[in-house]
Every structure is written in structure tokens, then in C-alpha cells.
Amino acid sequence: MPIPSAFQDHHKRLIGCRVCPDVQPPPVTGFTPGAAIYLLGQAPGPREQAAGLPFVGPAGRNLFKWFASIGVEESCFRSRVHMGAVIRCFPGKTPGKQGDRRPSPLEISCCASYLETEFGLLRPRLVIPVGKMAIDRLLPAKILDDAVGRVFQLDLDGHRFDAIPLPHPSGLNRWIQKDPGKSLLGEGLQLIAAHPVWQQVFGQDPTTPPPR
Ligand code: SF4
């Protein structure tokens, strides 16, 4: 299927973006024109930056294990779901610590236009925010216990969609290792598997082309 020119223009603008002085480009996004499902991550890490693909590190392996548990393998998922993030460049490490730096409000605000453009181009009917920062982008002030394991009907600039949040799949995330997080994660995955858009996109046979 030919890639619409508006999507090509957006891709070119995003990949060339160097607005934020403290992040490490290039920007990373899993481009899937025509996708009805949008996965919203937090920010790429160093592995994603090197590979130019979202969720390729250990956290990504966990994430794709979760989706495999509801019947969809990684390659199939990547070919049918658009994968964006709150910010698209690796923010770098937190000075003196192991973890990645949390993006600043200014960086999040600078990167917001790419998310808005993709929502406008794709009009996704199911959005899966992954991790607290991504959940906050759509559902401010929700703690994980109140966000994961539920479906939210949202309206963003007149575009209505369902959001089913998931926690961050990092092995360091203790919230998913014990209840209530462990059970809520399972409930969230079951809600995704049962959602009509997921069923329409992946259907009974994940090798058939996605309907749109
Ligand atoms: S984080 Fe977003 S706004 Fe900042 S340079 Fe990267 S793509 Fe551009």
C-alpha cells in the first residue's frame, strides 16, 4: 500500500527534528501508516536509539511477551500498530544514576506536535499508553492502580478513542511483580485482547492483512 504523502512529510519532519539541545537524536518511532491501534511509549533508550526502532531492549522483550500471551507475536504487532512516544529522542542517562533521564516538561511540550499530527493522520480507535509518563499524557493524575485494568473513552481535540493503559515493562518495575499490579496487568491485557479494534486488526488469523 502506498504511504500517503502527508505521512511521508510528517516522517521526514520528525526524523530531522533537532529542537531539544539536551536529548540524543535521531528520533525513534515505529511508523505504521494506516494503523488503527497506537501504542504510546515514554521515550527511547540507548538501544532503541541505536536500532532506530522502539522497544528493542529488555523492556521491549517483556512487552512483546505480554502481547504474545494474548496471541500476537512481535513482528505481526510491529507491522500493524503505530508506535509513538511522549518524546521521540533518547533523553540520556540521569547524571550519577543508572536510569534514563526523565524528559523535562519543555521537551515533552516540544515533542507534543508529533503525537498530535499522528493522531490526526491515523485517527487511532484504540490507544495503548505504556508506562506512567505515557499514561499521564492521556490521563493526568491517575495512579497506576486506577489506570491499568480499565478502558477509558477519551476525546482529544474532537477525536474519540478508547485507551487501555499498561504499566512500563521494565524488569526494574516492581509494580508489576506483585499484586495488585500483577493482576491488573493481566486484566489490562485481557481487555486489549477482547477489544473490537484489536480483534478487527489481528482477528483469528494474524497472517491475514489488517482491515482498515
Ligand atoms: S525529543 Fe522530540 S521535539 Fe525534541 S528533538 Fe527529539 S523529536 Fe524533536
Side-chain angles (χ1 to χ4, degrees):
M1 188 169 56
I3 298 174
S5 61
F7 213 88
Q8 287 182 20
D9 292 346
H10 163 69
H11 180 262
K12 195 170 164 191
R13 191 168 69 91
L14 171 55
I15 292 300
C17 184
R18 300 292 184 271
V19 165
C20 305
D22 297 329
V23 301
Q24 297 182 25
V28 176
T29 290
F31 284 96
T32 307
I37 304 175
Y38 191 114
L39 184 140
L40 179 65
Q42 301 195 140
R47 286 187 176 84
E48 286 75 18
Q49 182 207 25
L53 269 181
F55 285 107
V56 294
R61 282 197 289 281
N62 287 339
L63 181 71
F64 289 114
K65 272 188 207 160
W66 294 351
F67 291 130
S69 76
I70 53 171
V72 176
E73 298 299 331
E74 178 176 347
S75 59
C76 184
F77 185 94
R78 286 190 189 275
S79 69
R80 299 185 187 187
V81 176
H82 185 89
M83 299 173 79
V86 174
I87 78 162
R88 310 302 174 95
C89 293
F90 173 42
K93 293 287 176 193
T94 306
K97 295 197 177 161
Q98 265 195 331
D100 296 349
R101 178 177 67 81
R102 187 178 175 82
S104 69
L106 181 60
E107 288 164 344
I108 292 173
S109 155
C110 284
C111 221
S113 71
Y114 297 114
L115 179 64
E116 286 155 14
T117 299
E118 287 169 1
F119 269 39
L121 288 169
L122 295 166
R123 315 287 292 173
R125 289 169 287 143
L126 172 62
V127 178
I128 305 171
V130 175
K132 186 68 173 70
M133 200 196 310
I135 294 168
D136 283 347
R137 186 70 182 75
L138 300 177
L139 300 159
K142 281 262 181 275
I143 61 169
L144 277 179
D145 291 24
D146 293 337
V148 179
R150 293 177 58 188
V151 183
F152 296 87
Q153 275 93 39
L154 300 182
D155 187 321
L156 212 64
D157 299 328
H159 169 54
R160 300 172 80 177
F161 58 91
D162 287 347
I164 305 181
L166 292 177
H168 197 277
S170 163
L172 300 175
N173 185 359
R174 291 189 185 170
W175 189 85
I176 53 180
Q177 292 167 9
K178 56 182 184 182
D179 280 333
K182 201 171 171 182
S183 300
L184 290 172
L185 165 61
E187 287 170 29
L189 288 169
Q190 289 311 313
L191 287 172
I192 290 171
H195 194 279
V197 175
W198 182 274
Q199 299 239 334
Q200 189 190 12
V201 168
F202 293 111
Q204 297 300 311
D205 176 6
T207 59
T208 53
R212 182 66 186 159

